[in-house]
Amino acid sequence: MGVALRVIPCLDVSGGRVVKGVHFENLADAGDPVELASRYGAEGADELTFLDVSASVEDRGTMIDVVTRTAEQVFIPLTVGGGVRSVEDVARLLGAGADKISVNTAALSRPELLTEIASEFGSQVLVLSVDARRSAEPHAASGYEVTTHGGRRSAGVDALAWIREGVERGVGEILLNSMDHDGTTKGFDLEMTAAAREICSVPLIASGGAGTVEDFINVARVGVDAVLAASVFHFGTLTIGQVKDGLREAGITVR
């Protein structure tokens, strides 16, 4: 695609702390979100993604606070998601300093939400987060289905059809997370990512399964626009610099 690949650490926030588990379970504390965000900013992250994984009503205030504090200290684009259900939620998060908003579950129950956000704020602020896994169910004609609840529940929707609909409704980017690979550090789901790349006309972010620099190189070669990872960065397995150096050495243009 000729565009420089972005490297994006993802911070899953619960109760004001960064957590990380495998398949969203057995969550371990990974630190203070603002401290981690500052470290990643200094290490050369191109963007940061915050996901409010417990996204219940009482955490919304915590999340606004985290976004505000991060935006004051870190000067790269921030994407925030988790529990975004309305145009008002988007306005509040953008007001707190978020640059982009990631929407997942609420859009599945009411796809019009995507159209409303895109027409109110522009496609550039809207990221559709798709938690997908392999499926042989009849509704998953492509072989991949969308899940909710951290991959525990099928949404009964074909993943590629949902990506297409999102793009038609004005989504500016797709964040594709492999629930089969999430937190496993065994590599990205290259097959699923390639299938999505084929039909996705907007920037595509690959997520789920990063373990080694090689994993990032492999998924970059599928033609994604950005790579997103959590565990490998939080627990010090890899630094952003190491990933970018490895990508450069493999002949991939990075920011």
Side-chain angles (χ1 to χ4, degrees):
M1 293 198 100
V3 182
L5 186 81
R6 290 170 284 144
V7 178
I8 307 173
C10 180
L11 296 94
D12 295 326
V13 179
S14 178
R17 300 288 292 175
V18 175
V19 294
K20 191 58 200 153
V22 177
H23 304 307
F24 291 99
E25 287 172 1
N26 308 319
L27 299 177
D29 186 286
D32 174 70
V34 185
E35 274 171 36
L36 271 178
S38 302
R39 189 179 95 201
Y40 293 142
E43 276 185 18
D46 298 301
E47 293 181 16
L48 287 170
T49 293
F50 279 123
L51 294 179
D52 185 345
V53 288
S54 50
S56 54
V57 181
E58 66 272 16
D59 273 330
R60 183 52 60 216
T62 310
M63 202 58 186
I64 295 273
D65 173 58
V66 166
V67 172
T68 306
R69 289 189 299 128
T70 304
E72 282 164 4
Q73 289 189 32
V74 183
F75 305 102
I76 52 178
L78 294 181
T79 299
V80 183
V84 174
R85 294 181 187 89
S86 65
V87 164
E88 292 72 33
D89 290 341
V90 174
R92 267 197 295 278
L93 288 165
L94 293 175
D99 298 278
K100 299 188 226 179
I101 304 299
S102 165
V103 181
N104 186 339
T105 315
L108 282 161
S109 36
R110 204 173 68 79
E112 299 74 35
L113 178 62
L114 298 174
T115 317
E116 291 162 11
I117 295 170
S119 52
E120 180 81 22
F121 305 101
S123 293
Q124 76 287 347
V125 307
L126 181 55
V127 180
L128 177 60
S129 178
V130 181
D131 291 335
R133 67 179 174 200
R134 287 159 192 268
S135 169
E137 292 297 322
H139 61 253
S142 66
Y144 305 104
E145 68 175 354
V146 181
T147 67
T148 60
H149 300 79
R152 288 190 287 279
R153 207 174 290 179
S154 170
V157 176
D158 180 83
L160 299 191
W162 178 231
I163 289 171
R164 263 200 208 93
E165 180 173 350
V167 172
E168 280 162 16
R169 287 183 177 276
V171 165
E173 280 189 308
I174 299 288
L175 167 55
L176 179 63
N177 187 27
S178 163
M179 297 318 298
D180 297 319
H181 291 236
D182 177 76
T184 62
T185 66
K186 67 179 185 188
F188 293 89
D189 188 332
L190 300 177
E191 240 177 288
M192 180 173 80
T193 308
R197 174 75 287 170
E198 201 103 313
I199 57 110
C200 179
S201 56
V202 299
L204 179 65
I205 306 165
S207 164
T212 63
V213 172
E214 199 62 32
D215 293 336
F216 287 97
I217 294 167
N218 290 339
V219 81
R221 291 194 167 131
V222 170
V224 296
D225 301 86
V227 286
L228 181 137
S231 313
V232 287
F233 295 139
H234 301 339
F235 300 125
T237 317
L238 292 172
T239 64
I240 291 167
Q242 286 170 323
V243 170
K244 287 193 161 186
D245 289 345
L247 287 162
R248 274 190 204 102
E249 280 161 29
I252 291 149
T253 311
V254 290
R255 289 261 172 109

